[in-house]
């Protein structure tokens, strides 16, 4: 009888402990789903969003997941640079569609819209080459897949990043538009950095 009482007490405690644990889990759930914990790579990105980007990927092979996460981070950085270049050139009324090629072999562009967009993409890709991984988080799930987060950073300061973007833009525009950027140099750089930091 004594053993039955002890067993009943232990069983009651176990049931109470389980129900309390369940209540805690439910309290973390919102109408949108369960709230995620802060991810280190995303936190690192938020410290310097102007010169950083992050990516995440899941794959059965760790190396593939890492490569995909890095590609995603570079793509994020490239999109931010493209947006910054378009915003800055639009604000100064600089056309990326008037001039093809370098300073020595420039000529008018026939398909202006497509050429302008390809120049912005080229500018972004050149800058993204100058990035490296500064943080990696690795997870191995029950589904036997690796989930990798990476945070990548531009190898230089915000000022050096703005200089590289400005230099690349100047190589692809007409001499008249190049003069506009040189006259309003600070405004151009400030616009680029403000868009990158968003």
């Amino acid at each position: 009888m004594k053993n039955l009482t002890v067993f009943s007490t232990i069983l009651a405690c176990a049931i109470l402990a389980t129900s309390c644990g369940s209540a805690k889990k439910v309290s973390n759930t919102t109408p949108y789903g369960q709230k995620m914990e802060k991810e280190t790579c995303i936190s690192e990105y938020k410290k310097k969003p102007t010169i950083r980007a992050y990516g995440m990927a899941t794959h059965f092979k760790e190396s593939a997941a890492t490569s995909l996460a890095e590609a995603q981070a570079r793509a994020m950085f490239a999109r931010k640079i493209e947006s910054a270049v378009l915003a800055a050139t639009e604000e100064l009324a600089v056309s990326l569609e008037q001039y093809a090629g370098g300073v020595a072999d420039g000529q008018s562009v026939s398909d202006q819209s497509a050429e302008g967009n390809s120049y912005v993409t080229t500018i972004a890709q050149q800058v993204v080459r100058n990035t490296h991984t500064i943080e990696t988080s690795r997870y191995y799930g029950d589904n036997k897949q690796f989930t990798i987060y990476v945070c990548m950073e531009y190898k230089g300061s915000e000022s050096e990043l703005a200089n590289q973007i400005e230099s690349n833009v100047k190589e692809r525009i007409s001499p008249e538009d190049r003069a506009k950027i040189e006259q309003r140099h600070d405004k151009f750089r400030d616009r680029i950095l403000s868009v990158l930091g968003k």
Side-chain angles (χ1 to χ4, degrees):
M1 184 74 156
K2 188 176 180 182
N3 287 341
L4 183 60
T5 305
V6 170
F7 177 74
S8 298
T9 305
I10 291 172
L11 183 61
C13 289
I15 291 170
L16 284 173
T18 304
S19 65
C20 290
S22 298
K24 285 181 184 176
K25 287 180 184 175
V26 172
S27 67
N28 289 336
T29 304
T30 70
Y32 309 106
Q34 188 171 354
K35 187 173 179 179
M36 304 284 292
E37 289 184 30
K38 289 184 180 178
E39 188 359 85
T40 307
C41 292
I42 297 172
S43 297
E44 286 300 310
Y45 157 73
K46 288 180 178 179
K47 289 178 185 176
K48 294 183 178 180
T50 306
I51 60 171
R52 290 182 180 169
Y54 72 91
M56 182 276 290
T58 301
H59 199 277
F60 290 103
K61 292 183 179 177
E62 183 178 3
S63 60
T66 302
S67 295
L68 291 168
E70 289 173 349
Q72 193 178 79
R74 286 188 184 99
M76 176 189 186
F77 201 44
R79 284 190 306 272
K80 287 171 48 172
I81 292 167
E82 290 172 13
S83 296
V85 168
L86 290 172
T89 54
E90 188 175 292
E91 191 168 304
L92 295 183
V94 169
S95 176
L96 291 168
E97 302 161 356
Q98 291 180 356
Y99 198 70
V103 176
D105 61 348
Q107 60 187 27
S108 290
V109 175
S110 55
D111 184 6
Q112 294 180 345
S113 162
E115 291 291 338
N117 288 336
S118 88
Y119 292 146
V120 173
T121 302
T122 301
I123 289 165
Q125 288 171 350
Q126 287 176 341
V127 175
V128 167
R129 285 188 198 125
N130 200 21
T131 59
H132 66 287
T133 301
I134 60 163
E135 184 73 43
T136 303
S137 298
R138 299 166 61 243
Y139 303 93
Y140 189 66
D142 293 337
N143 59 358
K144 308 290 187 216
Q145 292 192 65
F146 291 92
T147 297
I148 306 291
Y149 281 84
V150 298
C151 179
M152 302 190 81
E153 182 176 77
Y154 176 78
K155 294 179 186 176
S157 66
E158 290 182 3
S159 180
E160 290 169 327
L161 174 60
N163 284 343
Q164 185 178 0
I165 293 170
E166 182 179 356
S167 175
N168 288 342
V169 168
K170 284 180 177 179
E171 289 175 6
R172 288 168 173 76
I173 58 178
S174 68
E176 295 80 19
D177 283 335
R178 197 174 309 119
K180 286 181 192 176
I181 290 178
E182 287 167 0
Q183 289 167 0
R184 301 174 73 190
H185 167 77
D186 290 339
K187 186 170 186 175
F188 184 79
R189 290 165 52 85
D190 289 346
R191 184 67 174 135
I192 284 173
L193 292 173
S194 72
V195 173
L196 287 174
K198 289 181 180 175

